[in-house]
Amino acid sequence: SKEGLVEVIQVALDGKIYFFDIEDGTQTRDPINLGGTIKGTATIHPAGYPLLFIGQGDNNVPDGRFGVYIFSLIDGEELYYQAGKDSRAHRSTWGAADSSPLVCAETDTVFFPSENGMVYDVELNTSFDPVTGELSISPETRAYRFQISGISGSQMGIESSIAVYNNYGYFSDNSGNLFCLDLNTFEMVWTRQLEDDTDVTPVLEEDNGRLYLYTGTEVDWQSDEIGYWQGESFTYKIDAMTGEILWRTSYPCWTRKSADSGENLVGGILGTPVVGKHSISDIVIFAYSMTKGAYSGNVLVAYDKDTGEQVWIYEMNMYSWSSPVDVYDDEGNAYIVMCDSIGQIHFVDAQTGERITFLQTVRHKGQSNETTTGLNMESSPIVYNDMIVIGTRSGSVFGVKIT
């Protein structure tokens, strides 16, 4: 009932989808309980239909379901479910969907890759009456399975989200392959083998009549060594129509590989790059994690878009898997918001790489149980006008004003 309400939708590892008033953080409606861990970003329908799309990140729902869901934002009702444990898939026993579903408003179609190695295309056939609130969908689902010579099915899980230009869809998989798929015909246009695994969503830019793609890799399978070891995290600019690599750079990062027990801790590029606009239209910015060793070090590096030459570097003490986010003032001056693994929010001049300020977030501030522990910001921040919203591993969500 609030006039001018701006609602934040925050998904969480506890399996719930939360709704907050961006001004004060109060809950605007009851959470939707999916029941299983969520790691990807939720999507809403860009045509204004009250539909929410989300994938499940782990196989821990009590009723055994494991896949992708569509919910009504009228009443929270589940309208669609696609099982990730799909008998048609190469990885038929694993159904996580960390990627964010992408919806085409004009065709009322949603695309989502899955860790089972399939790409799904759902024609929604949405019917919505904004006066009565009556909402329904009649989904028609297609699934695309592909095979790469010399690559086993278990390596073909897709953790990146899909980026789309016209009828071309771009994504990458655990085998280190980058793909361009014709979404009208479900025919592969080209593939490109990268130097390592990548979960990063490719970022597209059209410039002077050409389409370019930026992406990067983790440090994952460059060595079989157990424990901590150093490798290279690779960064690419690619001709998106042909797959040709236009330039490639790298930065040394650390990774921990466990044996049969213990934690795998991946370094390298885990966040989506920033393709600069306005005052930084000549650079692209990548974040590299674990640059100083285990749980330590992170750098933002700005590269010249044309040459791949380093323009500036911003160093952080703590690692981060969060994506850098670019924000702009009314004059087009650019700034980077970067969150880290101990709950710090860095605010950086995007033209020079110099830190303007940073904020240490605090849980239960002013109370007897006040603490700065547990504030690992693995998710990426939402920025709306002058407000940053960021979730943490502790279950806390923060709203921070940019002034």
Side-chain angles (χ1 to χ4, degrees):
S1 61
K2 179 179 177 179
E3 185 91 13
L5 171 69
V6 175
E7 192 173 47
V8 175
I9 302 174
Q10 177 78 53
V11 301
L13 293 175
D14 65 5
K16 293 181 180 179
I17 302 166
Y18 294 92
F19 302 86
F20 303 110
D21 185 330
I22 198 170
E23 289 187 354
D24 58 14
T26 56
Q27 291 198 43
T28 51
R29 60 177 99 186
D30 291 335
I32 296 173
N33 188 9
L34 187 147
T37 295
I38 307 170
K39 293 193 288 184
T41 303
T43 302
I44 56 174
H45 202 299
Y49 300 139
L51 295 170
L52 183 139
F53 308 81
I54 190 65
Q56 190 178 331
D58 206 350
N59 187 17
N60 56 357
V61 175
D63 63 9
R65 296 204 304 169
F66 192 21
V68 173
Y69 304 77
I70 302 175
F71 292 99
S72 165
L73 288 175
I74 298 293
D75 55 12
E77 179 187 356
E78 181 187 311
L79 302 178
Y80 173 87
Y81 166 71
Q82 170 61 55
K85 292 183 178 180
D86 191 329
S87 61
R88 300 168 294 179
H90 292 299
R91 301 176 70 184
S92 59
T93 60
W94 185 251
D98 289 352
S99 67
S100 301
L102 186 67
V103 185
C104 175
E106 292 181 7
T107 62
D108 193 28
T109 302
V110 59
F111 302 94
F112 54 90
S114 170
E115 284 189 56
N116 66 17
M118 305 262 273
V119 179
Y120 293 88
D121 161 4
V122 184
E123 190 173 336
L124 297 168
N125 300 303
T126 304
S127 175
F128 175 57
D129 186 331
V131 176
T132 65
E134 293 181 10
L135 173 69
S136 66
I137 58 175
S138 300
E140 299 175 46
T141 303
R142 295 189 302 166
Y144 174 69
R145 186 181 71 175
F146 56 94
Q147 181 70 58
I148 301 295
S149 178
I151 304 294
S152 69
S154 62
Q155 295 175 286
M156 301 183 72
I158 306 165
E159 294 183 76
S160 81
S161 301
I162 191 169
V164 173
Y165 180 87
N166 288 340
N167 57 305
Y168 297 113
Y170 300 88
F171 60 92
S172 51
D173 73 359
N174 298 142
S175 70
N177 274 288
L178 176 68
F179 302 92
C180 174
L181 176 66
D182 189 316
L183 297 174
N184 288 336
T185 63
F186 267 177
E187 294 179 351
M188 198 66 74
V189 179
W190 56 258
T191 66
R192 164 65 63 182
Q193 177 69 57
L194 305 179
E195 271 86 348
D196 209 320
D197 181 9
T198 176
D199 297 350
V200 174
T201 302
V203 177
L204 301 171
E205 181 185 39
E206 190 177 34
D207 185 31
N208 292 323
R210 294 184 68 182
L211 184 67
Y212 301 106
L213 180 151
Y214 297 93
T215 192
T217 69
E218 304 167 2
V219 178
D220 195 357
W221 36 256
Q222 295 171 37
S223 171
D224 292 328
E225 182 180 347
I226 301 300
Y228 291 104
W229 50 272
Q230 190 178 50
E232 294 293 318
S233 176
F234 294 94
T235 309
Y236 306 87
K237 179 178 182 177
I238 291 173
D239 185 318
M241 302 310 293
T242 66
E244 176 190 1
I245 295 176
L246 302 177
W247 53 255
R248 185 194 73 165
T249 65
S250 68
Y251 201 94
C253 299
W254 291 80
T255 275
R256 182 186 188 277
K257 184 170 290 187
S258 66
D260 297 329
S261 62
E263 183 181 33
N264 287 312
L265 191 70
V266 178
I269 297 173
L270 280 300
T272 302
V274 167
V275 176
K277 298 171 281 293
H278 304 302
S279 65
I280 56 166
S281 60
D282 57 338
I283 61 174
V284 57
I285 301 167
F286 285 83
Y288 298 90
S289 180
M290 312 284 187
T291 54
K292 296 181 180 179
Y295 298 96
S296 179
N298 206 82
V299 296
L300 295 173
V301 182
Y303 297 105
D304 184 285
K305 285 182 182 177
D306 292 332
T307 65
E309 295 294 320
Q310 181 177 307
V311 177
W312 56 255
I313 184 169
Y314 174 74
E315 296 193 43
M316 302 160 57
N317 288 331
M318 303 307 299
Y319 83 94
S320 174
W321 290 347
S322 183
S323 299
V325 174
D326 49 331
V327 297
Y328 302 84
D329 63 21
D330 292 338
E331 287 73 45
N333 298 308
Y335 308 90
I336 298 297
V337 176
M338 186 68 197
C339 303
D340 69 21
S341 54
I342 60 170
Q344 295 182 130
I345 302 175
H346 301 248
F347 198 61
V348 179
D349 186 323
Q351 293 174 265
T352 65
E354 296 177 358
R355 184 173 73 189
I356 297 170
T357 188
F358 76 97
L359 173 71
Q360 173 64 63
T361 53
V362 180
R363 297 178 68 200
H364 312 297
K365 189 173 182 178
Q367 302 177 34
S368 60
N369 57 343
E370 178 179 307
T371 181
T372 59
T373 62
L375 296 178
N376 188 349
M377 295 174 173
E378 290 183 0
S379 66
S380 301
I382 302 165
V383 181
Y384 182 85
N385 290 337
D386 62 350
M387 182 67 80
I388 301 167
V389 181
I390 178 69
T392 69
R393 291 282 301 205
S394 69
S396 302
V397 180
F398 292 92
V400 178
K401 271 197 176 291
I402 304 171
T403 59

